[in-house]
Amino acid sequence: MNEHIARQLREAAQAHQPDRARMLARVQRGAAGPAVRHRARSGLRSWPRIALAGIAAVGALATGGLAVAGIAPWTPQPPDTATTAPADPSPTVTPTPSAPPSAPPAPATAAPPAVTPTAPRPTPSASSRAQNGPLWSEGSIDPHSTVYWAQSNLTLRTGQPLTSLTVELRVAQTGDVRDTGNWRTLPVDDFTVTVQESGGALVYRWVLKPGRTVPAGQHEFAAQYNHATGVRAAANDGYRVDAVSAGGSASVSGGFPPGR
């Protein structure tokens, strides 16, 4: 009877397949807290001694199997997981450098205004201008002259005050030349003025009175006269200026080209 039970116990022990997952879970629960004591059933007390001895042997074998299982190295099998292809990552978008802003169009350049051709301004002849010391002079026919009347202009500049000044303007007698007046930019009371015919010309003369002074600067003298109808030629007209300043005496002379 004992050998039969022992053989059955050995065969049961050999056929026993321990549930490793449950054993491992029990071990983990045991490590996490105190072991729970199970209350023994009262029915075990009435079993025969042989049954108790068999149960003890089975328990010993089971305990030995657990001990062997605990000692033997055990490698947990990874859970079977379905192999799934990883989701395609979002494509990396590489920013494309934008083209540099185009240069603003060049502002339209306004065409220069059309220049209306004008008649060339006559250039005074060399004889109409003169310079000597502090004196500079230029003679011309006034542009407002007509076919019946004319005016001869004399511009005089001086770089120094003048203590003596005589201005003489000669209008050649080209036909019916008669005096109609004269003027100057300097005070009337500072000069003695005479107009007379002499040597085939109408002569205008301005003489600075003694004790008077002509200041430095630009001054104008003009002679007015009638003449025969038509464009009068002034090629034989002329002027002369004699002056005295702190730097000494100086004289200038010239002619009268057509007015400008």
Side-chain angles (χ1 to χ4, degrees):
M1 184 66 180
N2 292 337
E3 293 180 1
H4 178 70
I5 293 174
R7 184 174 63 254
Q8 288 182 348
L9 291 176
R10 284 195 300 271
E11 291 177 356
Q14 292 176 358
H16 177 70
Q17 296 293 333
D19 189 343
R20 294 181 179 182
R22 293 182 63 186
M23 294 169 59
L24 179 61
R26 293 182 63 185
V27 172
Q28 289 178 349
R29 285 197 302 270
V36 180
R37 293 183 178 182
H38 296 279
R39 190 173 179 178
R41 296 182 180 179
S42 58
L44 292 176
R45 296 177 183 178
S46 61
W47 286 15
R49 293 181 178 180
I50 296 174
L52 292 176
I55 292 172
V58 172
L61 290 175
T63 303
L66 290 174
V68 172
I71 296 171
W74 173 73
T75 302
Q77 296 296 326
D80 294 336
T81 57
T83 303
T84 58
D88 292 338
S90 300
T92 302
V93 179
T94 303
T96 303
S98 58
S102 58
T109 303
V115 179
T116 303
T118 57
R121 185 176 180 179
T123 302
S125 62
S127 61
S128 67
R129 293 178 180 176
Q131 184 172 1
N132 182 17
L135 301 180
W136 180 92
S137 62
E138 180 179 11
S140 64
I141 300 300
D142 193 273
H144 297 97
S145 299
T146 69
V147 293
Y148 308 103
W149 174 90
Q151 176 176 297
S152 298
N153 298 327
L154 173 62
T155 301
L156 177 66
R157 298 175 189 169
T158 175
Q160 297 178 357
L162 304 177
T163 57
S164 174
L165 175 64
T166 299
V167 177
E168 184 178 282
L169 192 155
R170 299 173 64 86
V171 179
Q173 185 56 260
T174 56
D176 298 333
V177 175
R178 294 186 302 272
D179 170 50
T180 59
N182 64 87
W183 56 267
R184 85 242 26 99
T185 57
L186 292 168
V188 176
D189 295 339
D190 289 354
F191 288 88
T192 299
V193 183
T194 61
V195 180
Q196 62 182 7
E197 290 193 16
S198 173
L202 191 61
V203 180
Y204 295 79
R205 182 178 288 123
W206 294 266
V207 179
L208 184 64
K209 294 179 180 180
R212 306 297 175 88
T213 302
V214 175
Q218 179 171 306
H219 311 288
E220 303 288 338
F221 296 85
Q224 300 172 332
Y225 48 90
N226 287 335
H227 58 78
T229 303
V231 178
R232 179 181 175 276
N236 294 324
D237 296 353
Y239 68 86
R240 179 181 175 86
V241 178
D242 297 298
V244 176
S245 66
S249 60
S251 298
V252 288
S253 61
F256 292 90
R260 299 182 296 283

